[in-house]
């Protein structure tokens, strides 16, 4: 069957005899782009309980099906697009998408999430996840309309950015709004930029570790899902609605989440600046002469005409479409930047004009690159040109801090791998190593090649430790919420390495539990017990806090084992020279994380139950997590 043929999914085995838990469709959709074969695979209630969905399910598939010789660009690499058991049900922030693959920046495991409507649309079509393998013979897109699944020719979409791709497919299928969810790669994905992302529903991005490069390598331009017609049922509808109401009430009234409810991530700019955690001009300073009162959330939002653009089943005042009021791009519609957009397309590269940042942030999304890595790449070039480490002849033009139009020009060069953009498209770590000299000392990255989030982690050590030790290409557990629930202190000294390491290791598992549910990271800031209660009502299980943490830690162990098999071990768990440097000013200037780094690693390994020398989860840790098969794989020699 050719890659452009139509196929109705056929089940490879019979449906399991056990009753299906509420909230699940009960099937995985399998697609082989090399052959055009499309089929469905049931998974059992026991597997659902053991792996939930999202990253829990994706990690197991990745470990089972992607061997050490199957690198990120190999056709047999898997691209897994997974939902959780609450997708499509009326709990805030549960329509999300988890993308799991072997990523292009680290060539190791990747787990990255996006919100919007994809997860709910997939569940309503009758599938809990899509597992994609192979490589299409020509640029294609996957079309899903309930039981009809087709791999279609995408020649007419070649070169289009992500918004243009969605608009073209909406016109092609005569559907718009929430009736059609499209997640695609822009030119950056087509051209295998190592930090290409997957973007959908006009502003929702699965951004980490080059998952868009994997999709581009498979010659898969987009996945296009018509909102399905299949009903979902919860085991205990009344209990689920009560849990959903309680979670929403907490988000609206708890002082720690009320600003998030009202403003999304906009307060992050001012809050992190006060802590010295806002990255400014490539980590060269932590202070500014800009009037920070102008960066209050209300002034960021109400400076633009805007309307809501929330996600499936969500009441957060978050995710807006804006209209730029003034400047060179007045009248353009853009997606309101998240905090990391204000950071990566703004402060990190010295741009403080709000209209310019909003415009550039959306252009980054439309090109489909990770705004954080773009910020590290662009800021690095700007600093190196200012200091003479890079020349106009090398780069192709002069680029200085604060130049948004120049940053856009660099974005186009990267997205199309033109000139110096071909080197930068490899990511900041490889570009810095290629250029060498003093320039290499200015680059912000981990030795694994992963990108930090849009923070200055020199003032937030838990996030730096987590970024360097994590196995999913981004933060795995840091920045905890309600950690007292699992017996950890509510406050610690952020510059005491031992305290930081115990907290970071102690919270490991919570985020993977949330990402297995398909929960949005901005609506998860309630107690794990409440999330487990919603899951129990949906499925009919009796799911508790200890079950949630065990699931998350089990997922973390599987991802780590996968990375070790890929050759990614403890020797890479370090920041680059600039990433781990001592701030020259600001609140963290008297603290240098590298003075305590080795002790932090020792304590973290002890806390999570992993072997410090080999990086492996210990045998007793794996047995306690119910992973004897993984203990055998890791320790049999």
């Amino acid at each position: 069957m050719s890659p452009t043929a139509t196929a109705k999914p056929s089940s490879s085995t019979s449906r399991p005899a056990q009753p299906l838990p509420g909230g699940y469709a009960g099937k995985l959709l399998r697609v082989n782009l090399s052959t055009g074969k499309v089929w469905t695979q049931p998974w059992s209630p026991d597997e659902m309980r053991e792996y939930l969905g999202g990253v829990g399910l994706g990690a197991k598939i990745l470990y089972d099906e992607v061997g050490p010789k199957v690198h990120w660009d190999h056709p047999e690499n898997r691209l897994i697009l997974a939902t959780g058991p609450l997708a499509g049900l009326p709990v805030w922030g549960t329509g999300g998408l988890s993308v799991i693959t072997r990523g292009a920046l680290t060539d190791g495991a990747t787990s990255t999430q996006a919100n919007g409507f994809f997860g709910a649309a997939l569940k309503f079509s009758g599938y809990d996840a899509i597992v994609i393998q192979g490589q299409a013979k020509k640029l294609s897109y996957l079309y899903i309309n309930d039981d009809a699944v087709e791999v279609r020719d995408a020649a007419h979409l070649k070169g289009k950015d992500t918004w243009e791709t969605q608009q073209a497919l909406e016109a092609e299928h005569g559907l718009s709004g929430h009736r059609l969810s499209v997640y695609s790669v822009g030119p950056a994905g087509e051209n295998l930029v190592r930090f290409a992302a997957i973007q959908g529903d006009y502003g929702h991005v699965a951004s980490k570790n080059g998952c868009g490069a994997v999709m581009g390598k498979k010659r898969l331009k987009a996945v296009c899902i018509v909102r399905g017609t299949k009903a979902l049922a919860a085991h205990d509808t009344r209990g689920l609605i009560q849990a959903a109401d309680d979670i929403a009430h907490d988000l609206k009234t708890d002082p720690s989440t009320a600003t998030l409810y009202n403003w999304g991530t906009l307060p992050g700019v001012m809050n992190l600046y006060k802590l010295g955690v806002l990255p400014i001009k490539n980590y060269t300073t932590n202070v500014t002469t800009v009037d920070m009162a102008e960066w209050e959330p209300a002034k960021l939002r109400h400076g633009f005409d805007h309307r809501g653009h929330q996600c499936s089943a969500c009441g957060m005042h978050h995710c807006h479409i804006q209209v730029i009021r003034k400047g060179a791009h007045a009248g353009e519609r853009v997606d309101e930047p998240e905090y990391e957009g204000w950071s990566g397309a703004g402060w990190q590269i010295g741009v403080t004009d709000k209209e310019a940042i909003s415009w550039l942030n959306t252009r980054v999304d439309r090109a489909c690159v990770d705004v954080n890595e773009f910020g590290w790449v662009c800021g690095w070039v700007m600093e190196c040109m200012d200091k003479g480490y890079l020349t106009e002849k090398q780069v192709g033009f002069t680029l200085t801090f604060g130049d948004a139009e120049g940053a856009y020009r660099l974005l186009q060069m990267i997205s199309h791998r033109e000139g110096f953009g071909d080197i930068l498209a490899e990511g900041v770590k490889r570009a810095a190593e290629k250029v060498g000299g003093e320039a290499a000392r200015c680059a912000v990255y981990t030795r694994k090649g992963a990108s930090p989030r849009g923070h200055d982690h020199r003032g937030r050590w838990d996030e730096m430790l987590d970024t360097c030790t994590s196995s999913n290409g981004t933060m795995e557990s840091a920045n905890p919420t309600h950690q007292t629930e699992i017996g950890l202190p509510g406050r610690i000294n952020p510059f005491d390495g031992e305290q930081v390491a115990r907290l970071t290791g102690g919270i490991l598992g919570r985020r993977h539990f949330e990402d297995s549910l398909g929960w949005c990271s901005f609506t998860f800031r309630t107690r794990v017990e409440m999330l487990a209660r919603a899951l129990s009502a949906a499925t009919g299980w009796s799911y508790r806090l200890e079950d949630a943490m065990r699931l998350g830690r089990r997922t973390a162990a599987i991802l780590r084992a996968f990375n070790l098999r890929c050759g990614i071990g403890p020797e890479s768990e370090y920041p680059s020279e600039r990433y781990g440097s001592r701030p020259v000013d600001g609140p963290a200037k008297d603290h240098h994380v590298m003075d305590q780094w080795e002790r932090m690693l020792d304590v973290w390994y002890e806390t999570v139950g992993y072997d410090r020398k080999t990086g492996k989860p210990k045998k007793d840790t794996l047995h306690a997590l119910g992973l004897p098969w993984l203990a055998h794989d890791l320790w049999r020699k």
Side-chain angles (χ1 to χ4, degrees):
M1 185 181 296
S2 73
T4 55
T6 299
K8 284 195 173 183
S10 58
S11 179
S12 58
T13 58
S14 61
R15 179 178 287 276
Q18 298 167 270
L20 192 67
Y24 284 98
K27 293 185 295 184
L28 310 180
L29 177 62
R30 292 272 186 167
V31 179
N32 188 325
L33 293 170
S34 296
T35 64
K37 181 182 178 182
V38 177
W39 71 103
T40 59
Q41 173 189 348
W43 58 314
S44 72
D46 287 343
E47 292 171 317
M48 294 169 188
R49 176 73 189 239
E50 192 74 1
Y51 300 108
L52 283 188
V55 65
L57 170 64
K60 184 62 163 60
I61 294 172
L62 194 71
Y63 187 87
D64 286 347
E65 300 183 20
V66 177
K69 295 182 180 179
V70 178
H71 295 279
W72 73 269
D73 55 353
H74 192 287
E76 286 310 300
N77 188 13
R78 300 297 193 260
L79 181 66
I80 303 154
L81 312 177
T83 68
L86 298 179
L89 296 175
V91 184
W92 283 12
T94 54
L97 161 70
S98 287
V99 178
I100 304 94
T101 189
R102 186 169 181 177
L105 275 178
T106 68
D107 201 22
T110 299
S111 165
T112 181
Q113 284 66 44
N115 302 308
F117 302 89
F118 188 98
L122 183 63
K123 190 69 70 68
F124 292 146
S125 299
Y127 312 108
D128 294 309
I130 310 171
V131 184
I132 300 168
Q133 65 191 81
Q135 182 185 58
K137 293 181 174 62
K138 57 185 177 180
L139 194 66
S140 305
Y141 77 94
L142 182 65
Y143 173 77
I144 301 171
N145 188 349
D146 280 338
D147 294 332
V149 180
E150 304 170 17
V151 182
R152 294 187 170 186
D153 192 327
H156 60 301
L157 303 175
K158 183 176 176 59
K160 292 186 182 296
D161 70 30
T162 56
W163 284 30
E164 291 169 340
T165 298
Q166 181 146 358
Q167 290 162 355
L169 289 172
E170 287 173 347
E172 182 176 333
H173 298 290
L175 296 170
S176 61
H178 303 157
R179 295 180 296 166
L180 190 74
S181 182
V182 177
Y183 272 72
S184 65
V185 294
E190 291 181 39
N191 292 306
L192 308 187
V193 173
R194 278 188 185 255
F195 50 101
I198 302 172
Q199 194 263 11
D201 295 338
Y202 299 110
H204 300 286
V205 188
S207 61
K208 298 305 168 196
N209 205 6
C211 60
V214 176
M215 191 162 162
K217 184 65 178 179
K218 292 185 177 299
R219 301 196 183 103
L220 183 65
K221 177 67 175 178
V223 179
C224 171
I225 306 181
V226 178
R227 185 178 176 91
T229 60
K230 294 178 170 59
L232 281 174
H235 173 81
D236 177 4
T237 303
R238 183 185 296 273
L240 178 68
I241 292 174
Q242 184 61 62
D245 285 348
D246 290 345
I247 290 167
H249 180 267
D250 264 18
L251 289 167
K252 289 187 283 187
T253 60
D254 188 311
S256 67
T257 58
T259 56
L260 190 62
Y261 164 73
N262 286 310
W263 302 108
T265 59
L266 300 185
V269 179
M270 281 194 65
N271 293 343
L272 295 183
Y273 177 74
K274 292 174 184 177
L275 295 171
V277 183
L278 180 66
I280 302 176
K281 295 184 178 180
N282 202 45
Y283 279 23
T284 58
T285 183
N286 290 99
V287 298
T288 181
T289 57
V290 171
D291 181 5
M292 293 305 294
E294 292 299 313
W295 289 80
E296 293 175 353
K299 292 184 178 180
L300 290 180
R301 177 162 293 168
H302 297 310
F304 301 87
D305 297 321
H306 64 277
R307 64 176 174 83
H309 181 54
Q310 285 87 344
C311 306
S312 177
C314 191
M316 299 283 278
H317 298 173
H318 186 214
C319 302
H320 287 68
I321 294 292
Q322 301 176 328
V323 178
I324 296 177
R325 287 186 175 182
K326 60 185 179 180
H329 304 286
E332 286 194 35
R333 284 185 300 168
V334 296
D335 183 51
E336 178 181 81
E338 299 283 0
Y339 160 76
E340 289 184 342
W342 294 114
S343 167
W347 289 89
Q348 156 64 10
I349 61 174
V351 179
T352 56
D353 178 275
K354 287 178 274 191
E355 283 77 17
I357 296 171
S358 292
W359 170 77
L360 179 60
N361 172 73
T362 295
R363 288 293 158 178
V364 169
D365 281 358
R366 292 178 67 151
C368 217
V369 302
D370 175 18
V371 72
N372 288 318
E373 179 75 9
F374 174 73
W376 306 129
V377 167
C378 189
W380 174 68
V381 172
M382 289 171 165
E383 180 187 348
C384 289
M385 292 202 82
D386 279 355
K387 293 180 175 177
Y389 304 153
L390 286 172
T391 66
E392 182 177 345
K393 182 177 180 181
Q394 284 175 289
V395 177
F397 68 105
T398 299
L399 181 63
T400 59
F401 282 119
D403 183 357
E405 296 291 341
Y408 177 64
R409 181 176 175 182
L410 195 71
L411 173 67
Q412 294 302 301
M413 291 170 60
I414 292 168
S415 298
H416 295 89
R417 284 187 173 268
E418 295 172 347
F420 195 62
D422 187 45
I423 294 174
L424 300 179
E426 294 294 296
V428 68
K429 178 180 184 291
R430 290 177 177 83
E433 290 171 344
K434 176 78 172 179
V435 172
E438 289 297 313
R441 303 181 65 186
C442 302
V444 176
Y445 59 87
T446 73
R447 285 192 192 172
K448 292 177 184 175
S451 310
R453 305 303 292 250
H455 306 153
D456 189 332
H457 287 164
R458 299 174 303 173
R460 187 167 270 183
W461 292 4
D462 61 324
E463 292 190 3
M464 184 183 291
L465 178 64
D466 188 36
T467 301
C468 290
T469 57
S470 72
S471 301
N472 64 341
T474 184
M475 291 196 308
E476 198 167 28
S477 62
N479 195 10
T481 305
H482 296 296
Q483 62 265 30
T484 54
E485 185 180 18
I486 55 175
L488 296 170
R491 290 183 179 275
I492 63 167
N493 178 349
F495 301 115
D496 182 311
E498 289 200 22
Q499 292 184 40
V500 168
R502 293 195 191 284
L503 179 63
T504 305
I507 203 70
L508 179 65
R510 172 174 173 145
R511 190 176 292 252
H512 284 319
F513 170 63
E514 294 149 0
D515 291 344
S516 298
L517 292 178
W519 216 298
C520 168
S521 63
F522 304 126
T523 58
F524 79 130
R525 294 175 186 248
T526 186
R527 297 183 300 279
V528 175
E529 177 273 327
M530 293 184 72
L531 310 185
R533 181 155 63 91
L535 176 61
S536 297
T539 59
W541 301 330
S542 177
Y543 216 87
R544 302 163 298 170
L545 169 64
E546 50 266 42
D547 297 318
M549 295 302 296
R550 178 175 174 270
L551 177 281
R553 287 180 176 267
R554 190 167 61 242
T555 302
I558 294 171
L559 291 171
R560 174 160 281 256
F562 179 85
N563 272 8
L564 289 168
R565 195 170 65 187
C566 294
I568 303 171
E571 69 285 347
S572 63
E573 293 174 337
Y574 293 85
S576 68
E577 181 177 341
R578 173 61 63 79
Y579 185 23
S581 64
R582 184 177 191 149
V584 298
D585 52 28
K589 67 178 181 179
D590 295 326
H591 305 280
H592 189 190
V593 67
M594 298 314 294
D595 290 342
Q596 302 185 51
W597 190 257
E598 292 299 333
R599 179 58 182 157
M600 288 166 66
L601 287 174
D602 288 343
V603 173
W604 184 85
Y605 269 91
E606 174 192 335
T607 303
V608 299
Y610 295 176
D611 179 67
R612 177 73 173 87
K613 182 178 180 181
T614 64
K616 299 177 184 179
K618 295 178 179 177
K619 289 182 183 179
D620 57 351
T621 299
L622 293 171
H623 283 282
L625 293 173
L627 294 172
W629 58 269
L630 189 56
H632 178 263
D633 277 4
L634 288 178
W635 293 100
R636 58 186 167 184
K637 294 182 180 180

